[in-house]
Amino acid sequence: MANGIKSARFLMESRLADAARGSAEDCFELGVAYSCGTGGMPIDLVEAHKWFNLAALNGSEEGQTMRAEIAEEMTAREIAEAQRQARAWIAATQLRAA
């Protein structure tokens, strides 16, 4: 089990690095991981919405679809928090790129 968790963490870290470079596919995969609990990740709809939103902003139609689907299971406050986190991610990654 420890190897599975290490593999999941490595996968998440590599996806985070690619997501920071604007990869819609990696943002989408992070959304899937948080929405389904892939690789031992805890299910977190706020994080999932954030990543699907970022995928959608980078042109992913799947990200748009999944963002809408999980939003149906969230409160308005949770959606607002996910949007705030997405804006913070964008701001932070733009600062690093500059």
Side-chain angles (χ1 to χ4, degrees):
M1 186 62 147
N3 283 340
I5 292 171
K6 285 181 184 178
S7 296
R9 282 201 178 111
F10 175 78
L11 180 62
M12 295 300 283
E13 288 170 9
S14 67
R15 293 216 188 277
L16 280 170
D18 291 336
R21 289 188 281 280
S23 168
E25 181 180 334
D26 287 293
C27 289
F28 180 81
E29 292 298 326
L30 286 164
V32 169
Y34 280 107
S35 66
C36 300
T38 303
M41 295 301 297
I43 293 175
D44 184 336
L45 295 183
V46 171
E47 276 291 313
H49 189 284
K50 174 182 95 175
W51 290 111
F52 288 138
N53 194 23
L54 291 166
L57 290 171
N58 285 307
S60 171
E61 289 182 25
E62 290 177 308
Q64 291 174 6
T65 301
M66 293 304 295
R67 177 184 60 196
E69 284 185 24
I70 66 166
E72 293 177 12
E73 300 176 35
M74 299 170 70
T75 66
R77 185 168 284 167
E78 289 171 326
I79 292 168
E81 176 60 19
Q83 292 171 335
R84 185 196 66 73
Q85 288 182 21
R87 286 190 301 273
W89 172 265
I90 291 167
T93 55
Q94 286 177 344
L95 284 175
R96 279 184 248 145

